[in-house]
Amino acid sequence: AWRVTKPGSIQLNYFRHPIYVAGRYIKKARDLSQSAWIVTGNVRVGESSVEEVIQNLLGALAKADEWKMIAAGREDMDVRMLGNGRPFVMEIKNCVAKSLRLEKVLDEEFSSPFLRGKVELRDVCSTTKRALKLLHEGAEEKRKTYSALVWSARALRAPDFDKVNGLVDVVAKQKTPLRVMHRRAGMVRDKTVYKMRMEAIPGNDHFAMLELTTQAGTYIKEFVTGDMGRTTPSLATILGWQTDILSLDVMGVEMAFDVPKL
């Protein structure tokens, strides 16, 4: 037999289902990573990230236990994301609110202290978990357009521009780049550069603007430089001499992202 000798207690925990916010982001700065960038020794690179900027803005509308941004690919910290923006979904777990007043995000007075002119949001809406599936499906098929400022070891002449601009559907074999070997599996990827257009910069024949439309996952920096022979062909092998990339912008992400709206 047993008997109660002291008052009992019970603990009740409850959780809400996650809520989802979708949209596109434009990154205008070259000092923001997409997510927090922590390196060996727990050292942070950069003061913030696109994910944290959006989290802080949405977090001002309601508290939650966990925020996770999933995007259609990613750009390097020093690459701007312009054009129509990159599709993303923010998964918000155990939020105190059932939905967010997203019209506040469009209020410049409210949002500008969070975005600080570095990030812009478009097509922001409340959505369902299905948006994650649409994001992953679209990411596999998307094309991206880039604009790069490139340097040439030799002065560029009209035949050089004609050679580059006449190429279409170039299949580049890209070994895992040296700069990411420490965190990516070593393999060879076949990536298609659908079209290129190189234009002269008046007053300096060693520099040019290069616009490319490529398959998702193409390493653009390595396509320009050749990455010490690890990407072939490359702009360097097409021209026949050393080339380098000085700045890079994503000008467009072409993918269907028609998410269900709540």
Side-chain angles (χ1 to χ4, degrees), residues 122-168:
R122 292 185 178 179
D123 305 330
V124 178
C125 65
S126 294
T127 186
T128 67
K129 189 174 182 178
R130 175 166 167 72
L132 293 176
K133 183 179 180 181
L134 295 174
L135 189 72
H136 291 304
E137 289 175 350
E140 294 299 319
E141 303 298 329
K142 71 179 185 292
R143 295 186 178 196
K144 294 198 285 187
T145 301
Y146 298 87
S147 178
L149 173 61
V150 300
W151 169 84
S152 166
R154 296 186 187 179
L156 295 166
R157 305 299 184 212
D160 303 321
F161 291 95
D162 292 341
K163 181 187 293 186
V164 172
N165 295 343
L167 295 173
V168 295

Side-chain angles (χ1 to χ4, degrees), residues 1-156:
W2 57 272
R3 61 182 178 175
V4 176
T5 58
K6 59 182 180 180
S9 64
I10 186 170
Q11 179 175 323
L12 178 64
N13 296 319
Y14 66 93
F15 299 91
R16 288 186 185 273
H17 290 298
I19 62 176
Y20 299 89
V21 173
R24 290 175 178 260
Y25 74 80
I26 293 172
K27 190 186 83 171
K28 303 176 181 178
R30 298 191 189 277
D31 61 354
L32 280 181
S33 54
Q34 188 184 83
S35 56
W37 186 3
I38 309 298
V39 297
T40 304
N42 202 32
V43 176
R44 179 175 188 131
V45 179
E47 66 174 23
S48 188
S49 67
V50 174
E51 181 179 34
E52 290 166 299
V53 167
I54 299 175
Q55 174 185 331
N56 290 338
L57 173 58
L58 298 179
L61 302 176
K63 303 292 185 182
D65 285 349
E66 185 179 343
W67 306 74
K68 182 179 180 181
M69 187 179 83
I70 304 94
R74 64 172 56 237
E75 66 285 333
D76 292 340
M77 174 183 277
D78 61 350
V79 176
R80 294 186 299 179
M81 176 64 241
L82 305 177
N84 60 349
R86 187 183 297 279
F88 75 91
V89 175
M90 183 71 81
E91 183 180 47
I92 308 168
K93 294 185 177 180
N94 204 26
C95 185
V96 299
K98 290 191 296 184
S99 62
L100 302 183
R101 295 178 56 199
L102 294 177
E103 66 273 11
K104 296 282 285 182
V105 173
L106 304 177
D107 182 342
E108 186 175 346
E109 184 177 353
F110 176 81
S111 63
S112 60
F114 299 97
L115 303 179
R116 297 180 298 158
K118 294 187 174 186
V119 177
E120 179 183 331
L121 299 181
R122 292 185 178 179
D123 305 330
V124 178
C125 65
S126 294
T127 186
T128 67
K129 189 174 182 178
R130 175 166 167 72
L132 293 176
K133 183 179 180 181
L134 295 174
L135 189 72
H136 291 304
E137 289 175 350
E140 294 299 319
E141 303 298 329
K142 71 179 185 292
R143 295 186 178 196
K144 294 198 285 187
T145 301
Y146 298 87
S147 178
L149 173 61
V150 300
W151 169 84
S152 166
R154 296 186 187 179
L156 295 166

